[in-house]
Amino acid sequence: MKVIEFQEGESFDIELEEDLLKRNQQLAQANGQLLEKHGILAIDVMGSVGSGKTTMIERLSSRLCQTKTIGVVAGDLTTTIDADRIVEKGAQVVEVNTGKECHLDANLVGKALRELPLEKLDLLFIENVGNLICPAEFPLGAHKRLVVISVTEGPHMVVKHPHIFRGADVVAINKVELAAPMKVDPEELKKDVLAVNPGAQVVKTSLVQDQGTKDVIEALGLMAGSGAEA
Ligand code: MG
Ligand code: ZN
């Protein structure tokens, strides 16, 4: 079969794209400095639509809210459905509706940071737009990247999207309770993640049952009592 491979530099608007990514990088650095100044640890939560990003933030917030003041930047194309769910967990939430944009960028996150009581926060979750491709290209100034995947995305989802896993600190393989009916082996997914990123911490979760949440907290270095020093 004939396969056409995209070559680096082949895109028509390559200069425009480079400028955009460079500008994003600068703004991400500024976000990072602002967060450091306030002693806030920020986590960029990435993954497909329906993988469990919002549930992950809900579960983590429920467990950590006794010891930490939590903020959330919730990215979504048009709705506040997810933000509303997280507000119920007592976090300070800012919704960012990206319209047609399929990822958050550092500029949007910078705007959201201006709306949050940074002096009060210890921890910030940034729920990225449900997409496995471009969020990887746009650093936001977060300290860590958590990628949530689900066994319902099939057995090949990691090998098909290596970029997002290369930059991940922690990968949660979610909905493991559905592994058998989906005929997907979570161990195989884990092997695929470690093949592209041997340094990643991989955790299996069943977030509807609140299973594995503690392991994610440990993997992110968010043990009770620790703040941005984690
Ligand atoms: Mg969500
Ligand atoms: Zn995008």
Side-chain angles (χ1 to χ4, degrees), residues 101-103 131 134-135 138:
E101 281 295 330
C102 43
H103 56 271
N131 176 354
C134 39
F138 287 84

Side-chain angles (χ1 to χ4, degrees), residues 53-54 82 127:
K53 297 183 297 302
T54 310
D82 293 353
E127 180 173 348

